[in-house]
Amino acid sequence: ERDRIWPMKGKTIECMTALAQHKVFPDFVYIDAAHDVESVFADLQTALNLFPNAIILGDDYTAPNQDHCQVYLAIDRAIKQGLIKSTEFKNVGRAWYLTRNLS
């Protein structure tokens, strides 16, 4: 699959925007860049806006009572603000994904 995977170096939102501007629409968007709440929320929001048909997933999801729970807090914020539905969010351990585009 090397001809289908294009690694990019840069800030997540800038790279996603460049892909969309070049009419490249990925099947999957894996969110795993900065881990502060604002960055994770912005990455998720951008991915959903630019690539509404992509499968969105990520990692480093930990419960709010544990260290490094910023991904949890960003997901929680996205649910509370209506960006995603709680019913479409799933996690397996620290990995998470949205079910909205799964067939």
Side-chain angles (χ1 to χ4, degrees):
E1 298 297 329
R2 289 178 188 228
D3 59 325
R4 295 186 57 201
I5 298 173
W6 302 343
M8 297 177 72
K9 186 175 181 178
K11 295 185 185 262
T12 306
I13 292 174
E14 292 170 2
C15 290
M16 284 193 282
T17 302
L19 286 173
Q21 287 173 341
H22 286 91
K23 304 207 182 308
V24 175
F25 300 101
D27 296 323
F28 298 91
V29 175
Y30 191 84
I31 296 177
D32 185 29
H35 285 72
D36 61 279
V37 176
E38 292 301 319
S39 296
V40 175
F41 182 84
D43 289 351
L44 179 58
Q45 185 175 41
T46 301
L48 290 167
N49 286 334
L50 294 177
F51 311 118
N53 298 318
I55 295 171
I56 311 292
L57 60 155
D59 67 1
D60 297 325
Y61 182 83
T62 59
N65 58 349
Q66 296 178 358
D67 290 337
H68 310 295
C69 63
Q70 290 79 6
V71 174
Y72 172 95
L73 295 172
I75 297 289
D76 186 59
R77 178 178 165 193
I79 292 169
K80 287 178 178 172
Q81 291 188 10
L83 186 63
I84 60 175
K85 296 176 186 174
S86 61
T87 55
E88 70 180 322
F89 173 80
K90 304 290 182 199
N91 75 294
V92 179
R94 294 172 56 101
W96 63 268
Y97 61 98
L98 302 182
T99 60
R100 68 171 56 183
N101 293 321
L102 294 177
S103 299

